[in-house]
Amino acid sequence: MDLRHNEIEGNSEPTQSLGQTSHLALDIGGSLIKVVYFSISRDNCIDREQESSANDTLGFSNGNCKHPILQGRLHFAKFETSKINDCLEFISSKKLHLGGFQHHENPGKNKNFIKATGGGAYKFTELFKENLGIDLDKEDEMDCLVAGANFLLKAVHHEAYTYIDGQKEFVQIDQNDLYPYLLVNIGSGVSMIKVDGDGKFERVSGTNVGGGTFWGLGRLLTKCKSFDELLELSHQGNNRVIDMLVGDIYGGMDYSKIGLLSTTIASSFGKAVSDNKELEDYKPEDVARSLLRMISNNIGQISYLNALRFGLKRIFFGGFFIRGQPYTMDTISVAVHFWSKGEAKAMFLQHEGFLGALGAYVSYAKHSIDDLVCNQSMQLPVSASYTADPNYNPLNGDFNDNESIQCSVYAA
Ligand SMILES: Nc1ncnc2c1ncn2[C@@H]1O[C@H](COP(=O)(O)OP(=O)(O)OP(=O)(O)O)[C@@H](O)[C@H]1O
Ligand SMILES: CC(C)(CO)[C@@H](O)C(=O)NCCC(=O)O
């Protein structure tokens, strides 16, 4: 099993001691499976009638029924899609597929389905049925990405940030001034979505040169065994060894007439043409660096062009390609800033890789009370904040999968 998940088990309290687990949602992508689940402590249940001060707009409109507000945590985990058995084992060992809050007196009422999105929700339907006896209730991937992004931007404090000149700065999002924005999800491939409101969006573009390209080409070129190793390698490299710069072409000078500095990359990997070297003659770290720069730059540029098409000033980047990587974010930010002449802003999300899974999670709320009679029916958390690790400082960045968000849900 991937060590990362041991980390999660170590950092988060075991399901048993937390009390109950409810509402597991999955995003099964081309490269990674993302898992989001909610755990509650029964001790923390608050009777909603007693808690009349709760924000009613977030409650379930279900006549006069009493719904306890459940305090709990959203947990995050990820697995490589090629190791889907590890994911099945994880779900099974934590009993996440049992739908959690099964009343002992009426366990039969529990519905055995879980919300799932991404291509793998279709591809692996049978595998989940055979191994865990559950049906995957499929939600559209783009719907989920948008729902997940809107959820995070509205509910989670310290979610969006800019990354400029090595400085991470959180952006306070005004909920009344959120739309429109461009959402760029950099997964295996890249989707660019113009978001105009809750459930109001259009996928305006995409590119097949994405995270899968970086990892796939990088693996072939550097012989790295893991994505993290490739990222680590790219830290140590120097892209100027392989990239052809404007200065290489212009004898060390800027091409100022068209705004190009001598240090601007004129042609990614361009030096490899004339260097008369073989792959083995280059350091893998330099190759990794050039590759990361090439792909990030390209995505930044296409994103800007799409923002320009629709007059969008804010671009939020998500997807697990980013991984809170300074060099990746810096390259994307510089590309957006450069091409838009400072008009458009690149922003990143703390839970970058979990947009789809969170979107699938919040889609439970679309179901009727009757469908979820023994489960907790989820509404947007009243508030959410980082609480898993008292030492956790969002400014340190790189939220991966060993954190959880504290939140409240209303139970049916
Ligand atoms: N541990 C990892 N293993 C593999 N790839 C990783 C890892 N961490 C980050 N990545 C990067 O994240 C990308 C996958 O991102 P993400 O999970 O958002 O997309 P996906 O859902 O798998 O893809 P798609 O949406 O295109 O089906 C990979 O292509 C790779 O670039
Ligand atoms: C096919 C999906 C949507 C699967 O997540 C993604 O990998 C993607 O957006 N790829 C880019 C496809 C394109 O628009 O060229």
Side-chain angles (χ1 to χ4, degrees):
M1 182 176 277
D2 187 339
L3 272 178
R4 296 185 158 270
H5 304 293
N6 291 331
E7 262 177 53
I8 298 167
E9 286 169 87
N11 278 359
S12 53
E13 297 161 68
T15 307
Q16 289 298 318
S17 70
L18 275 172
Q20 305 289 339
T21 303
S22 168
H23 286 186
L24 160 72
L26 303 173
D27 174 5
I28 311 176
S31 305
L32 298 172
I33 304 174
K34 280 72 63 179
V35 178
V36 171
Y37 62 97
F38 180 71
S39 66
I40 60 162
S41 164
R42 275 221 219 211
D43 301 343
N44 281 334
C45 291
I46 306 166
D47 188 316
R48 194 182 168 198
E49 281 189 350
Q50 291 162 7
E51 189 69 5
S52 55
S53 62
N55 183 346
D56 271 333
T57 58
L58 297 171
F60 236 138
S61 53
N62 184 35
N64 294 321
C65 284
K66 261 170 61 165
H67 299 305
I69 297 169
L70 303 165
Q71 305 287 342
R73 283 179 179 173
L74 276 176
H75 298 260
F76 301 87
K78 73 174 188 300
F79 300 83
E80 286 173 34
T81 308
S82 58
K83 296 179 185 159
I84 193 163
N85 285 333
D86 287 353
C87 177
L88 294 169
E89 206 178 285
F90 177 81
I91 293 171
S92 167
S93 69
K94 285 189 166 286
K95 300 190 170 48
L96 302 180
H97 58 302
L98 300 179
F101 205 56
Q102 283 179 312
H103 292 293
H104 292 301
E105 56 280 13
N106 201 356
K109 275 200 171 180
N110 192 49
K111 291 272 196 297
N112 269 344
F113 72 86
I114 55 172
K115 290 285 184 185
T117 189
Y122 296 85
K123 188 172 171 181
F124 298 114
T125 301
E126 285 310 309
L127 191 70
F128 275 82
K129 185 83 187 156
E130 280 164 21
N131 279 263
L132 300 173
I134 48 174
D135 289 321
L136 297 183
D137 189 17
K138 298 167 192 64
E139 290 288 328
D140 177 77
E141 186 180 340
M142 300 298 132
D143 284 343
C144 287
L145 286 174
V146 172
N150 283 343
F151 164 78
L152 287 169
L153 290 168
K154 288 179 188 172
V156 183
H157 189 55
H158 274 161
E159 180 59 35
Y161 59 93
T162 54
Y163 194 87
I164 298 163
D165 296 333
Q167 292 297 314
K168 181 174 183 173
E169 207 165 288
F170 283 94
V171 179
Q172 197 54 46
I173 301 291
D174 176 357
Q175 297 201 18
N176 300 315
D177 188 29
L178 174 59
Y179 309 113
Y181 67 84
L182 186 71
L183 176 63
V184 178
N185 192 66
I186 316 177
S188 317
V190 186
S191 285
M192 297 180 185
I193 307 166
K194 175 177 170 281
V195 183
D196 291 303
D198 270 332
K200 277 178 68 186
F201 66 88
E202 185 190 353
R203 184 180 188 272
V204 292
S205 197
T207 165
N208 53 349
V209 181
T213 320
F214 172 64
W215 178 205
L217 262 181
R219 199 179 71 82
L220 291 176
L221 293 172
T222 66
K223 308 271 183 279
C224 276
K225 293 280 178 277
S226 73
F227 182 84
D228 285 13
E229 197 189 330
L230 182 62
L231 270 189
E232 186 53 42
L233 206 59
S234 73
H235 279 174
Q236 301 149 26
N238 177 1
N239 72 298
R240 295 178 188 197
V241 175
I242 307 176
D243 290 343
M244 186 187 280
L245 309 186
V246 170
D248 294 324
I249 302 171
Y250 273 77
M253 294 194 318
D254 298 338
Y255 185 177
S256 18
K257 197 176 168 191
I258 59 165
L260 296 177
L261 296 173
S262 64
T263 50
T264 304
I265 299 172
S267 171
S268 288
F269 286 86
K271 275 203 185 119
V273 175
S274 50
D275 270 353
N276 212 11
K277 288 184 189 170
E278 298 305 316
L279 181 58
E280 301 70 51
D281 300 323
Y282 291 103
K283 288 189 194 158
E285 49 267 45
D286 296 337
V287 174
R289 187 93 170 173
S290 288
L291 191 57
L292 185 56
R293 183 76 181 256
M294 178 177 86
I295 293 189
S296 305
N297 204 31
N298 195 53
I299 294 170
Q301 187 172 11
I302 299 172
S303 303
Y304 151 73
L305 288 171
N306 279 288
L308 183 72
R309 262 176 87 193
F310 300 100
L312 308 172
K313 299 275 181 257
R314 284 189 294 197
I315 312 176
F316 291 102
F317 290 88
F320 255 122
F321 167 72
I322 298 188
R323 285 291 295 275
Q325 255 323 97
Y327 193 60
T328 306
M329 297 191 295
D330 194 59
T331 305
I332 290 175
S333 297
V334 168
V336 168
H337 183 85
F338 177 83
W339 288 108
S340 72
K341 298 193 170 64
E343 284 283 300
K345 206 184 249 183
M347 280 182 266
F348 304 91
L349 299 169
Q350 201 70 13
H351 298 85
E352 53 193 15
F354 289 100
L355 305 187
L358 276 167
Y361 186 81
V362 297
S363 76
Y364 277 111
K366 287 194 301 202
H367 277 260
S368 72
I369 296 290
D370 287 346
D371 279 346
L372 293 163
V373 70
C374 283
N375 291 333
Q376 283 73 55
S377 301
M378 201 279 176
Q379 283 290 287
L380 292 183
V382 175
S383 65
S385 58
Y386 294 97
T387 53
D389 176 0
N391 298 318
Y392 177 66
N393 174 2
L395 288 169
N396 292 339
D398 203 13
F399 176 97
N400 280 314
D401 49 11
N402 52 356
E403 300 292 342
S404 56
I405 303 180
Q406 183 177 311
C407 62
S408 313
V409 302
Y410 295 143

